[in-house]
Amino acid sequence: MHLLLVEDDAPLAASIAGALQAQGWRVDISARGEPVPLSLARDAYDALVLDIGLPGIDGLETLRRVRAAGQHLPVLMLTARDSLEDRVLGLETGADDYLVKPFAPVELVARLRALTRRHENREAGQLRLARLRYDPQAQRAAIGDEPLHLSQRESVLLQYLMHQAERIVARDQLLALLPAASGTPSDNALELLISRLRGKIEPAGVRLRTVRGLGYLLQVDGG
């Protein structure tokens, strides 16, 4: 893989680059966010590792400019901010995942591998996790070759959760996907939908976990 690392802490950037290069990956380093959109337009990077706390424009503004320029590559944000609000803001800005400092290099490598796998699946037009498949164009799910019968709301939830597979999705993000005929969907209604969806997809070898106080996590069973 060819990665762009944006981190202004030079010793940390060198340490991260070393861990990534040990995987046989090429790594370019930038200490600021301003040049990033042009760098991505000029070179074919497979993923962007982007620190939030940068001098000049911060990581969130850098990411806004990257997405506004039509760049859809996977983005892993590095942050010292561990609040739920900051994480949700990063995801809403266009990040695919986040990693809170300090972190182990092995976790960074694992996150990047997962991100690029998900991106490759999306580029192929199919979302896949274990034996679970979802076709966003047809809005149809399957376990292997067997169709999976879902309600419209279950389908909406599953598509979003598969886009965010292997990372926590906040409850409010899912509630926002489910406009009710009158009023805002309740937590109880969401819990019921999650419970029904969980039972339908578990035979595919996936697990839909409730992460207390944070939200939900769709992952390969045993992951």
Side-chain angles (χ1 to χ4, degrees):
M1 287 201 296
H2 188 192
L3 308 174
L4 178 58
L5 169 63
V6 188
E7 170 60 67
D8 66 308
D9 183 326
L12 179 58
S15 175
I16 293 172
L20 299 177
Q21 289 164 345
Q23 305 299 312
W25 299 342
R26 294 170 55 203
V27 183
D28 296 332
I29 301 174
S30 174
R32 300 183 66 91
E34 289 87 349
V36 170
L38 181 59
S39 296
L40 295 178
R42 185 179 58 232
D43 296 311
Y45 289 100
D46 296 295
L48 171 63
V49 182
L50 177 62
D51 184 37
I52 286 184
L54 297 172
I57 65 169
D58 66 10
L60 292 174
E61 178 58 28
T62 300
L63 181 55
R64 289 188 187 98
R65 297 184 184 186
V66 166
R67 295 310 191 205
Q71 294 287 346
H72 302 294
L73 81 169
V75 177
L76 174 63
M77 299 208 77
L78 306 180
T79 176
R81 309 172 187 176
D82 194 21
S83 74
L84 177 59
E85 292 79 8
D86 286 325
R87 282 176 279 170
V88 169
L89 179 58
L91 296 174
E92 289 178 343
T93 302
D96 294 280
D97 201 358
Y98 61 87
L99 198 53
V100 178
K101 299 176 183 179
F103 51 82
V106 65
E107 183 177 8
L108 174 65
V109 169
R111 295 287 187 98
L112 284 169
R113 290 191 189 279
L115 278 184
T116 53
R117 283 198 304 269
R118 290 203 301 267
H119 183 72
E120 288 167 0
N121 287 337
R122 289 200 296 268
E123 290 293 299
Q126 294 278 330
L127 300 173
R128 299 175 184 269
L129 189 67
R131 296 179 58 240
L132 183 62
R133 296 189 295 113
Y134 189 90
D135 183 341
Q137 295 298 321
Q139 296 185 340
R140 293 175 183 170
I143 297 178
D145 294 324
E146 293 296 320
L148 184 60
H149 300 291
L150 303 174
S151 70
Q152 182 179 7
R153 286 187 165 196
E154 289 168 347
S155 181
V156 168
L157 287 184
L158 180 60
Q159 179 176 348
Y160 190 79
L161 287 164
M162 289 189 72
H163 270 296
Q164 312 296 331
E166 301 179 41
R167 65 185 181 193
I168 296 171
V169 176
R171 176 185 296 268
D172 288 348
Q173 289 177 274
L174 294 183
L175 283 170
L177 298 174
L178 304 172
S182 59
T184 303
S186 68
D187 284 348
N188 288 340
L190 178 60
E191 286 289 352
L192 181 59
L193 278 169
I194 289 291
S195 178
R196 289 176 178 169
L197 183 60
R198 180 181 287 128
K200 291 182 179 182
I201 66 176
E202 281 184 348
V206 300
R207 184 182 179 195
L208 180 50
R209 293 177 50 205
T210 299
V211 183
R212 191 173 300 278
L214 293 178
Y216 302 94
L217 173 64
L218 179 65
Q219 62 183 171
V220 175
D221 195 14

